[in-house]
Amino acid sequence: MATSQNEKVKEFLTCVICHELYRDPCTLRCDHTFCRKCVTDYIQTRPHALQSKTIPCAFCRQDTKVPQPSRPVEEWAGQIKPSIIIQGLIDTLGAEGDVPETSSTCCTICQQLGETIPGALWCPECEVVLCDRCVKTHRVSPILQDHDLCDLSSRSKSRRRVKCTEHKSSNVEFHCKDCQKAACQTCCIIYHRTCTTVVTIESMKPEMKTALLEKRFVMGKRLKVRSKKVEVKNEKLQNSSRITELTVQNIKSICQTAINKIKEKETQLLDELNHITQTYAGQLRAGVKLDEIEMQMCRQHCEFIDQALVSDCEMDLYDAYQASESGAVEMGDVRDTDTADTRRIDDIRFTPDTDHVQHILDDLQLGKIDVTYQDEGLCPTSPVLIDTIDGRMADDDKLGPDLQNITVLFVVGMQTVLVSDCMNMCMKSFYTRNSQSGHSRLPLDNSPHGVTQLKEKQVMVAVPASRQIVTVEVTPDLVLLSTITTSKDYYSLAVLSPSSLAAGGLDYDGYGIVDILDMAGHVLRSVTTHNNKTLFAYPWNMCVNNKGNILVSDWEAESVTCVTSEGDVLWRYAPTGDRTLCCSSGITTTRTGDILLVDCNKVIQLTESGEFVRDVLTSEYDDNNKRDIFCDKYGFLFLCTNTEVEVYMLV
């Protein structure tokens, strides 16, 4: 079973160019992996690659740009990042996959001498199993005595050593952040003497672990999104089959209706032809009968005249003469009387209107099939709901939570959602640790509102009723670090720099104001008016965009204002008519710089310059419970309602 599994693994670790296990694997931009030497050889067989200064993929032909094309062609492949994971699989396969199960616990040294002796300990440095006799030799050897030996049961858990591909006797122990390459001690001396940041891989372990945990979490979320997209597409596929079947039936029905109409015309034309033909035939038969009667009467009159002439009697001649003069034998009057009311048919002909019929058939439209295509370049991202976080906790007031503002941090690789709860006068954090959901609660003196990230693991929270701004550490549990007292009631916060932040609230007279504060809470400058007009009424929500400017959402003024840290107004979004804002609240920016604004029961997308793009999310009910919004660097969208947090993925 193990051999069969190893063979399957080898299939995925085989280079498609040399058809052998990867040697020094590197992955191109298209995610296809090859041996580094194979890539170098392949480049030299492609003249267009040398001209375009790119590395073509031998599998899909997609080009990868060379970071430093001025270097010799032989060094181009060396500039591609190594595939550390694939190399690790190859090393593991070489260390474990080719060792028979029956000999995996026997002393490796003795096996080479033709003996089969059970192993006692494992040396992770030499990657060999040692029996009791060889262990003693191993420990007294000056070169090997510093090696840490472990039980065979810990063999799979021991640290894996990777040998340098160039200096076979040296282990890879260092990482050059300048060159983004792994190196052994010899490589550091030869190739990285001028590099400024060369660290041990061991020292990078916490950083790598945190980054991998964060990446693993994000990939898990993306997996959920892709799963939902596959589900939606399969549903569309089923609907498409049903719609296609129904459309086929409709087309056939329309065609059959047209055929029935043509058949009806055919029947009418044939009936008309049959009626005319029968009339014509009847008229001809009647004419023949009259002619035959007239011929019979003519014969009889001729015989009467012949008899009078033969008898030569004056009276016979007189009778024949009188009959002839009186017109007794003429049939014209009778014929004219019989046909006076009937038009006689002279001929019957059918002239097909082929051209007209062909023209009608050519112009005949049974229906129209409309197809809507998606422009991949212009297709806007759509939010897909992937999770819902309940804002309730066991220690909450019986009235339930009243969530106001939200921000999201990654702490030790864990996505941590922080919300302010006015009803319960506390800050809350929600996270997932070891596949288990967790949460933390930090009570405050009064109701918290605006929350903004200060450092990697710290946030600042506005507590307007106490005129305080508190600093909270996120571990991801919440720990109160410090409190500063302000001179005004601030409801919204946004960190501008390590030494300053923007705060929105009310001045001494109750008018809306945006102040720039130092980290001690002192006012450096205020933004209140523009062109002698008051800018803000209730600036309850704000954020900082990619350019360091402040975006202020004011639900009373029904507007969004973009100001610089110096107080200059760059633009103002205050639409009228159907697009008038009714209750603008939460505001955030995406990775591309676009703006997402919460307005009553919907989320609006604006450009970086404050122009309307579209409605991203719309609720069926005008419940007005959407409070704040946050978009992180991975494209996750967090929509804070008064009782829960809805997590979306922009796809």
Side-chain angles (χ1 to χ4, degrees):
M1 180 66 71
T3 302
S4 175
Q5 185 175 3
N6 288 338
E7 290 177 355
K8 292 180 179 179
V9 173
K10 284 183 178 180
E11 291 180 6
F12 294 99
L13 300 178
T14 300
C15 176
V16 297
I17 298 179
C18 64
H19 301 290
E20 296 181 1
L21 284 179
Y22 291 121
R23 288 170 294 182
D24 190 12
C26 61
T27 302
L28 301 181
R29 176 189 175 190
C30 55
D31 291 333
H32 290 131
T33 303
F34 307 95
C35 302
R36 200 175 297 275
K37 185 178 182 303
C38 292
V39 172
T40 301
D41 296 340
Y42 184 75
I43 294 173
Q44 297 176 348
T45 63
R46 294 293 182 270
H48 75 278
L50 301 176
Q51 296 175 359
S52 61
K53 306 293 185 182
T54 58
I55 300 177
C57 175
F59 189 82
C60 68
R61 302 294 187 268
Q62 184 174 344
D63 291 334
T64 299
K65 291 184 179 180
V66 181
Q68 299 179 7
S70 60
R71 302 283 292 273
V73 177
E74 292 77 9
E75 298 181 10
W76 285 7
Q79 300 177 35
I80 305 300
K81 291 183 179 180
S83 303
I84 299 176
I85 296 178
I86 292 179
Q87 184 63 56
L89 292 173
I90 295 173
D91 294 340
T92 303
L93 184 65
E96 300 179 359
D98 297 335
V99 179
E101 293 182 7
T102 56
S103 61
S104 61
T105 58
C106 295
C107 178
T108 306
I109 308 299
C110 294
Q111 277 186 328
Q112 295 175 357
L113 300 176
E115 300 179 12
T116 303
I117 299 178
L121 296 176
W122 163 259
C123 178
E125 299 284 342
C126 303
E127 296 185 348
V128 294
V129 177
L130 302 174
C131 63
D132 292 331
R133 182 180 61 187
C134 292
V135 166
K136 295 178 181 179
T137 305
H138 205 80
R139 285 175 172 169
V140 298
S141 173
I143 301 176
L144 307 176
Q145 62 183 358
D146 293 333
H147 291 188
D148 294 328
L149 305 182
C150 60
D151 295 336
L152 291 179
S153 59
S154 305
R155 177 179 177 179
S156 59
K157 301 179 181 179
S158 61
R159 293 192 303 172
R160 182 173 58 87
R161 300 293 181 179
V162 178
K163 299 294 183 181
C164 178
T165 56
E166 184 174 350
H167 309 100
K168 305 296 183 181
S169 61
S170 301
N171 292 329
V172 175
E173 298 177 340
F174 301 93
H175 174 74
C176 177
K177 293 188 176 182
D178 297 340
C179 304
Q180 288 297 315
K181 286 185 177 181
C184 66
Q185 188 170 5
T186 306
C187 288
C188 292
I189 297 173
I190 298 175
Y191 302 114
H192 303 283
R193 286 179 298 176
T194 60
C195 297
T196 57
T197 312
V198 178
V199 297
T200 63
I201 296 178
E202 180 69 22
S203 66
M204 293 175 60
K205 186 175 179 180
E207 175 187 347
M208 292 188 297
K209 189 174 181 180
T210 299
L212 289 174
L213 285 172
E214 183 175 336
K215 191 70 174 177
R216 175 64 182 86
F217 178 83
V218 173
M219 294 305 295
K221 293 289 187 180
R222 289 185 182 274
L223 183 61
K224 285 186 178 182
V225 173
R226 294 300 172 188
S227 177
K228 284 183 176 285
K229 289 187 70 174
V230 169
E231 182 180 341
V232 170
K233 288 182 178 179
N234 284 332
E235 185 177 350
K236 285 185 176 181
L237 185 61
Q238 295 177 357
N239 291 336
S240 175
S241 299
R242 290 193 293 267
I243 292 173
T244 301
E245 183 178 353
L246 181 61
T247 303
V248 169
Q249 293 177 357
N250 290 337
I251 292 175
K252 288 184 176 180
S253 175
I254 293 172
C255 289
Q256 189 61 47
T257 301
I259 292 172
N260 292 340
K261 195 66 178 178
I262 294 174
K263 289 284 187 182
E264 183 180 340
K265 292 289 185 182
E266 178 190 21
T267 301
Q268 292 177 357
L269 195 58
L270 291 176
D271 290 344
E272 182 181 358
L273 176 62
N274 183 52
H275 175 70
I276 294 173
T277 302
Q278 290 180 356
T279 301
Y280 182 38
Q283 290 178 352
L284 291 176
R285 282 193 292 270
V288 169
K289 185 175 182 180
L290 289 174
D291 289 338
E292 289 176 347
I293 294 172
E294 185 175 356
M295 289 169 58
Q296 181 66 27
M297 293 181 67
C298 286
R299 291 191 189 97
Q300 292 176 359
H301 188 60
C302 287
E303 291 177 358
F304 182 62
I305 292 174
D306 289 343
Q307 291 176 0
L309 291 175
V310 170
S311 66
D312 198 28
C313 175
E314 62 275 10
M315 291 307 297
D316 291 339
L317 292 173
Y318 179 78
D319 290 338
Y321 175 76
Q322 287 293 329
S324 175
E325 289 296 327
S326 63
V329 296
E330 295 293 336
M331 297 296 294
D333 295 339
V334 177
R335 185 186 301 273
D336 293 339
T337 303
D338 295 338
T339 61
D341 298 331
T342 305
R343 295 183 60 187
R344 297 187 63 82
I345 299 173
D346 183 59
D347 192 12
I348 300 175
R349 293 181 182 179
F350 174 70
T351 304
D353 195 354
T354 306
D355 293 339
H356 182 59
V357 172
Q358 188 65 40
H359 181 69
I360 291 176
L361 291 177
D362 290 342
D363 294 340
L364 180 62
Q365 295 291 334
L366 300 179
K368 183 180 179 182
I369 299 176
D370 295 321
V371 181
T372 303
Y373 295 96
Q374 286 187 351
D375 189 336
E376 295 296 336
L378 301 176
C379 182
T381 55
S382 300
V384 177
L385 180 64
I386 59 174
D387 197 7
T388 301
I389 302 173
D390 190 353
R392 298 176 178 85
M393 290 186 180
D395 297 333
D396 283 351
D397 188 90
K398 293 182 179 180
L399 296 177
D402 183 18
L403 310 183
Q404 289 292 322
N405 295 87
I406 184 173
T407 193
V408 180
L409 281 65
F410 269 93
V411 181
V412 197
M414 288 180 286
Q415 186 184 69
T416 306
V417 179
L418 288 91
V419 292
S420 56
D421 187 344
C422 288
M423 181 66 68
N424 296 285
M425 295 190 297
C426 67
M427 287 296 299
K428 296 178 177 179
S429 68
F430 301 90
Y431 53 88
T432 301
R433 177 186 288 160
N434 298 327
S435 301
Q436 297 293 327
S437 297
H439 61 264
S440 176
R441 188 175 187 274
L442 177 65
L444 299 173
D445 294 338
N446 275 297
S447 298
H449 282 263
V451 55
T452 184
Q453 184 174 0
L454 175 62
K455 298 180 180 179
E456 181 182 358
K457 299 180 181 180
Q458 292 181 11
V459 295
M460 302 186 78
V461 183
V463 188
S466 302
R467 290 191 173 182
Q468 293 177 338
I469 297 177
V470 299
T471 302
V472 179
E473 184 177 14
V474 185
T475 63
D477 293 328
L478 304 180
V479 179
L480 181 63
L481 293 181
S482 62
T483 302
I484 59 175
T485 302
T486 62
S487 59
K488 303 172 187 177
D489 303 337
Y490 293 122
Y491 288 82
S492 58
L493 297 175
V495 173
L496 299 175
S497 68
S499 60
S500 63
L501 71 153
L506 302 175
D507 64 9
Y508 307 110
D509 298 321
Y511 293 104
I513 191 171
V514 171
D515 287 339
I516 308 301
L517 311 177
D518 61 16
M519 287 305 171
H522 302 130
V523 179
L524 302 178
R525 53 190 166 274
S526 299
V527 183
T528 56
T529 61
H530 178 65
N531 294 333
N532 297 323
K533 293 183 179 180
T534 302
L535 278 176
F536 311 111
Y538 295 103
W540 275 193
N541 296 84
M542 65 169 56
C543 71
V544 178
N545 65 9
N546 299 340
K547 296 181 179 179
N549 299 319
I550 309 167
L551 301 174
V552 183
S553 173
D554 192 323
W555 66 269
E556 175 66 22
E558 300 175 348
S559 65
V560 174
T561 306
C562 179
V563 299
T564 66
S565 58
E566 300 299 324
D568 299 325
V569 177
L570 299 180
W571 53 262
R572 185 177 176 86
Y573 177 74
T576 57
D578 295 339
R579 299 233 56 94
T580 300
L581 301 177
C582 62
C583 186
S584 61
S585 52
I587 190 168
T588 188
T589 59
T590 66
R591 293 175 294 179
T592 60
D594 286 347
I595 301 167
L596 298 178
L597 173 68
V598 176
D599 182 39
C600 290
N601 65 326
K602 59 187 176 182
V603 176
I604 301 171
Q605 180 181 355
L606 306 177
T607 64
E608 193 172 5
S609 57
E611 298 176 355
F612 176 81
V613 177
R614 60 174 176 140
D615 291 333
V616 178
L617 279 173
T618 303
S619 175
E620 296 181 2
Y621 307 101
D622 190 11
D623 45 23
N624 196 24
N625 69 342
K626 293 177 175 58
R627 303 296 175 83
D628 198 12
I629 192 169
F630 183 85
C631 186
D632 70 5
K633 60 183 179 180
Y634 295 108
F636 291 109
L637 186 64
F638 300 83
L639 185 60
C640 178
T641 70
N642 59 341
T643 58
E644 63 184 15
V645 176
E646 298 172 353
V647 185
Y648 295 85
M649 183 74 180
L650 296 176
V651 295

